[in-house]
Amino acid sequence: MEYDVIIVGGGPAGSTTAALVAESGRSVLVLERDVFPRFKIGESLMPGTYWTLQRLGIFEKMQASAFPKKFSVQFFGKSGKAGAPFYFKENEPEERAQTWQVLRSDFDQLMIDNAVEKGTVVQHGVSVLDVVFDGDRATGVIARMPDKSTKEFKAKVIVDASGQSALISRKLKNITHETDLQNAAIYTHFKGAVRDCGVDEGATLIMQTETGDSWFWYIPLPNDVVSVGVVGHIDYLLKNRKVSAEEIFNLELAKCKSMIPRVDGAEQLFPFKATKEFSYKAESIAGNGWVLVGDAFGFLDPIYSSGIFIALKSGEMAADAIIEAFEKENFTGTQLGKFEDDLQVGIEAIRRLVYAFYSKEFSFGKFLQQFPECRRDIINILVGNVY
């Protein structure tokens, strides 16, 4: 069966691309390996998602949701001392000065349902095994269907939104890893953990351990649940440790004075999970008949919650390039990837702040004491005002 566009993966990047391309009148098929709703880590949004959510037509649904509102990000130093919160309202008008902490199972379902409402065909439980090329041009995919049979689908444009599977980039061997950002995370959800009050209740908290070798995230979710995880270089956090993920988490927790009282007595909702968070980037975002979005193009360390923001932004930019490609009947990599330089400008701004955080001598407090005029610039990055 043939479509105008096939999208591999129905997460935020894929569903954004699907919704906007389908809305333009093109036939779009999304092939998603998982059956929604599905668990996914990475729950925090940046306010910069506002514009894409508005364009998708789901901003009002977000406003009516039970997702906790996020007005700020706060960092805690190695001593456990809290820095002054970075409130988005310092830079942003009221409506755009907040975003949300989302339960990904619900958020991703909302996003894919929106794509369906706009005309996208979605098939769940379908694993894409390979992308088919005719010479250097992508022409379709081979997929394993829910009944275990294989089927070929053809399209003029293949969008790789397969996340860290990075189907096309791994096939073409064009991924570059950032050796300084090869981290791992151990995480779970807690119920009944301590939350701040008022405008700070939904804040993202970033807490360093006393050695500076790891840090914790603390993200409030609906129904008195918080997402808590510890991140460190994989060689430190996991390598040569002959103990369980739970024991590693607890060893690091004992070094984080600001986190201990928040989770003391809270109910752990599922066993600790461990994941690699290796930062990488594809050398090319597009080629003839194909384009990459979200984590399929690159993964950046999650310290500033930029993952969904980059997913939505890349999905939106790719959709515009695809829509124009059909208008021009031009499906070259130059056309489909015309947004790469613009996308990279924002990613690079965030990347620089990521590297600053992982510098052991860096501290937001000390930096702002020396350069108070940079506070607005830091908030712009935390908001997602990077374009």
Side-chain angles (χ1 to χ4, degrees), residues 101-328:
Q101 311 285 21
V102 299
L103 189 64
R104 284 293 301 276
S105 55
D106 293 346
F107 178 74
D108 290 9
Q109 186 73 61
L110 175 66
M111 292 285 290
I112 199 68
D113 287 348
N114 184 63
V116 171
E117 289 171 11
K118 294 183 184 299
T120 301
V121 176
V122 178
Q123 294 193 28
H124 289 279
V126 177
S127 296
V128 174
L129 305 175
D130 197 11
V131 177
V132 178
F133 280 79
D134 182 2
D136 68 350
R137 177 169 179 171
T139 59
V141 300
I142 303 293
R144 183 170 60 240
M145 307 307 290
D147 64 1
K148 307 303 181 184
S149 65
T150 58
K151 187 174 181 179
E152 182 172 356
F153 298 89
K154 292 185 175 294
K156 291 184 177 178
V157 179
I158 309 300
V159 179
D160 187 352
S162 63
Q164 295 189 37
S165 297
L167 192 65
I168 290 179
S169 292
R170 296 190 192 281
K171 178 182 177 74
L172 300 179
K173 297 181 173 59
N174 71 343
I175 286 181
T176 300
H177 289 275
E178 298 194 45
T179 56
D180 292 332
L181 295 175
Q182 302 293 285
N183 294 327
I186 297 171
Y187 60 88
T188 188
H189 285 177
F190 289 99
K191 189 176 183 67
V194 175
R195 296 183 188 235
D196 293 325
C197 299
V199 72
D200 297 321
E201 183 179 356
T204 291
L205 307 181
I206 303 296
M207 304 178 183
Q208 286 188 300
T209 54
E210 59 191 17
T211 61
D213 291 317
S214 62
W215 60 271
F216 280 83
W217 76 68
Y218 190 90
I219 297 173
L221 297 174
N223 303 316
D224 197 27
V225 173
V226 293
S227 172
V228 180
V230 60
V231 178
H233 195 280
I234 191 166
D235 289 345
Y236 169 77
L237 200 65
L238 298 181
K239 194 174 182 180
N240 298 324
R241 291 218 201 185
K242 302 185 185 304
V243 292
S244 67
E246 179 177 6
E247 289 172 299
I248 296 172
F249 182 95
N250 288 330
L251 286 169
E252 297 306 304
L253 179 61
K255 303 173 188 175
C256 191
K257 297 176 182 178
S258 49
M259 179 63 77
I260 293 170
R262 289 182 178 269
V263 298
D264 185 35
E267 177 190 359
Q268 185 180 334
L269 296 184
F270 57 78
F272 288 98
K273 298 176 182 287
T275 183
K276 296 176 182 178
E277 297 191 329
F278 288 4
S279 294
Y280 60 85
K281 184 174 73 71
E283 294 173 11
S284 300
I285 203 167
N288 295 333
W290 60 268
V291 61
L292 314 177
V293 295
D295 286 354
F297 172 56
F299 177 79
L300 185 59
D301 187 276
I303 177 69
Y304 302 122
S305 304
S306 59
I308 297 179
F309 169 71
I310 295 171
L312 267 60
K313 196 68 180 177
S314 63
E316 181 179 10
M317 288 179 163
D320 288 338
I322 292 167
I323 292 167
E324 186 177 88
F326 279 96
E327 292 170 352
K328 295 180 176 180

